[in-house]
């Protein structure tokens, strides 16, 4: 942390900052310039925050220079992490050495629809099935998901396909139910800053897929991941799903640069969701190619056997030509950009 004194600050003003910092066990290095004095602080940054140094006489500004997150940062853990999803014996990795394709329906609507979507996903190379049983929708009148019976369907489909499942949790009170069914818990964009929920999944013992808040900065997103990590759970995969911008031609704007930005700042894996970013199936394949090329550790894509009757997000679900093009991209492109393996694409 660096304290910048104002041009008129006196020696007593500087001494007051130094003594406060030393009072909480920190060290203060004073550097006097012709016009301004700056003070470099070394020690526990949280205790410096409590000093409210900005309120002291003669202090012009206070700058933080280290990351505000620790457990999820690469400073803390330089090697990139791999998160394993699924039951013992059939775990799927998500991390720097593999490329992992996650696909499935936006929402679980029926057993038949979910099995069919899972088969489509699997034939396109997916090794993890996505599907929401609890759907936090913008409109309270929209389909809210099947709830517990949706989880039962997901569990059956996991048995028939062998694919681990990732499903959304929208309420901390549902953790106990969800951990009995899910292999990975998804936190959606609308709940990225629901800190009680983040703490609850941090204690759940399950890997977490943490989507980026639609109006959140990368730093806010990593702070949300820190809430989960602080509760002892470092099995976190980040998911870039588009952010709100002024551009109306897509539902959200896919922030492709977030992938290398996150990978430089954090050791956590990051996957890209082109479906919720674009909201349009014709953009899913090109955005998937871009995500693979930029170095994403995986993809999360909506598929549906009959998008025209889907109860949720039909316009972005791929099938037919798009699904085949997606399967080809997932089979070929990760190796072209140096990924060692593509998980389970030969199934
Ligand atoms: C989803 O993945 O089904 C979903 C609701 O996504 P998001 O939270 O990114 O809107
Ligand atoms: Mn959706």
């Amino acid at each position: 942390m660096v304290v910048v004194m104002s041009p008129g600050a006196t020696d007593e003003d500087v001494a007051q900052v130094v003594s406060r910092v030393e009072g909480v066990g920190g060290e203060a290095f004073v550097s006097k310039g012709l016009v301004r004095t700056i003070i470099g602080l070394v020690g526990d940054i949280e205790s410096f925050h409590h000093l409210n140094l900005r309120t002291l006489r003669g202090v012009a500004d206070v700058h933080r220079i280290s990351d505000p997150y620790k457990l999820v940062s690469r400073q803390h853990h330089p090697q990139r992490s791999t998160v394993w999803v699924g039951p013992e014996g059939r775990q799927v990795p998500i991390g720097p050495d593999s490329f992992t394709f996650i696909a499935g329906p936006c929402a679980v609507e029926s057993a038949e629809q979910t099995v069919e979507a899972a088969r489509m996903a699997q034939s396109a190379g997916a090794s993890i099935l996505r599907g929401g049983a609890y759907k936090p929708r913008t409109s309270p009148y929209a389909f809210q998901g099947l709830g517990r019976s949706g989880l039962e369907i997901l569990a059956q489909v996991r048995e028939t396909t062998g694919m681990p499942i990732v499903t959304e949790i929208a309420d901390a009170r549902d953790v106990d139910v969800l951990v009995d069914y899910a292999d990975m818990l998804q936190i959606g964009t609308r709940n990225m800053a629901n800190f009680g929920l983040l703490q609850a999944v941090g204690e759940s013992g399950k890997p977490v897929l943490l989507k980026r808040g639609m109006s959140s900065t990368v730093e806010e997103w990593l702070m949300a991941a820190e809430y989960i990590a602080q509760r002892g759970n470092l099995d976190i995969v980040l998911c870039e799903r588009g952010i709100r911008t002024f551009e109306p031609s897509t539902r959200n704007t896919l922030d492709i640069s977030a992938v290398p930005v996150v990978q430089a700042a954090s050791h956590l894996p990051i996957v890209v969701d082109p479906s919720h970013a674009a909201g349009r199936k014709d953009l899913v394949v090109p955005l998937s190619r871009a995500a693979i090329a930029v170095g994403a550790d995986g993809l999360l894509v909506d598929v549906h056997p009959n998008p025209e009757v889907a109860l949720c997000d039909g316009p972005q679900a791929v099938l037919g030509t798009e699904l085949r093009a997606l399967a080809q991209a997932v089979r070929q492109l990760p190796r072209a950009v140096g990924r060692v393996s593509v998980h389970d694409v030969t199934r």
Side-chain angles (χ1 to χ4, degrees):
M1 198 175 249
V2 172
V3 178
V4 180
M5 304 301 289
S6 50
T10 63
D11 287 349
E12 279 109 73
D13 296 338
V14 173
Q16 154 134 263
V17 173
V18 172
S19 97
R20 296 269 180 127
V21 168
E22 289 176 349
V24 294
E27 287 179 276
F29 296 91
V30 178
S31 163
K32 274 193 187 219
L34 277 182
V35 182
R36 282 179 188 268
T37 295
I38 61 168
I39 310 172
L41 311 190
V42 176
D44 175 23
I45 198 140
E46 294 313 322
S47 64
F48 298 154
H49 274 306
H50 294 140
L51 294 175
N52 287 328
L53 295 172
R54 216 180 285 259
T55 63
L56 297 185
R57 203 183 53 207
V59 172
D61 216 344
V62 177
H63 299 282
R64 173 165 203 147
I65 46 178
S66 58
D67 295 332
Y69 39 85
K70 294 188 181 75
L71 301 172
V72 305
S73 84
R74 255 186 117 156
Q75 283 169 1
H76 177 81
H77 189 294
Q79 295 298 327
R80 298 201 53 228
S81 300
T82 296
V83 171
W84 294 86
V85 180
E88 224 30 69
R90 42 180 159 114
Q91 286 186 310
V92 176
I94 308 178
D97 297 330
S98 49
F99 181 84
T100 309
F101 184 26
I102 307 168
C106 182
V108 174
E109 298 167 17
S110 68
E112 298 69 35
Q113 168 254 9
T114 308
V115 173
E116 262 191 80
R119 295 279 182 222
M120 289 165 66
Q122 220 167 16
S123 70
S127 52
I128 299 178
L129 176 67
R130 63 145 292 146
Y134 295 86
K135 298 296 305 175
R137 306 298 298 280
T138 302
S139 164
Y141 302 110
F143 175 60
Q144 304 285 312
L146 295 181
R148 203 177 183 126
S149 59
L151 295 178
E152 303 275 357
I153 292 171
L154 283 171
Q156 281 165 23
V157 177
R158 174 176 49 193
E159 287 323 302
T160 48
T161 62
M163 298 168 93
I165 52 181
V166 54
T167 193
E168 183 158 355
I169 176 161
D171 189 322
R173 290 168 297 189
D174 296 329
V175 172
D176 292 343
V177 177
L178 273 146
V179 292
D180 286 342
Y181 294 91
D183 297 296
M184 183 180 218
L185 299 174
Q186 176 173 324
I187 301 281
T189 191
R190 293 163 189 80
N191 276 310
M192 188 213 82
N194 181 338
F195 301 117
L197 183 59
L198 297 174
Q199 288 168 334
V201 297
E203 287 167 8
S204 70
K206 292 283 177 184
V208 178
L209 183 79
L210 177 63
K211 288 197 157 194
R212 179 179 183 176
M214 61 184 91
S215 303
S216 299
T217 63
V218 167
E219 185 172 295
E220 288 161 346
W221 187 17
L222 293 176
M223 292 297 271
E226 188 81 9
Y227 266 92
I228 301 171
Q230 228 195 13
R231 295 287 159 139
N233 188 352
L234 270 166
D235 290 330
I236 307 164
V237 174
L238 300 163
C239 178
E240 162 61 41
R241 50 78 68 203
I243 51 175
R244 283 246 162 115
T245 68
F246 52 81
E247 175 52 56
S249 54
T250 50
R251 185 165 152 189
N252 294 280
T253 298
L254 180 64
D255 181 9
I256 202 78
S257 55
V259 174
V261 167
V262 161
Q263 288 173 342
S266 171
H267 58 90
L268 300 178
I270 175 167
V271 301
V272 166
D273 175 350
S275 307
H276 287 83
R280 289 168 43 176
K281 68 174 185 161
D282 60 318
L283 296 185
V284 169
V285 173
L287 294 181
S288 296
R289 291 185 182 130
I292 299 170
V294 84
D297 301 308
L299 285 173
L300 177 80
V301 172
D302 278 10
V303 299
H304 195 291
N306 300 298
E308 65 284 359
V309 295
L311 296 179
C312 181
D313 287 349
Q316 69 197 32
V318 290
L319 84 174
T321 328
E322 281 95 8
L323 191 65
R324 280 190 292 280
L326 188 59
Q328 196 183 32
V330 168
R331 282 198 177 97
Q332 294 173 349
L333 294 185
R335 284 195 184 88
V337 294
R339 290 266 152 187
V340 179
S341 70
V342 179
H343 196 78
D344 272 5
V345 292
T346 49
R347 204 199 286 265

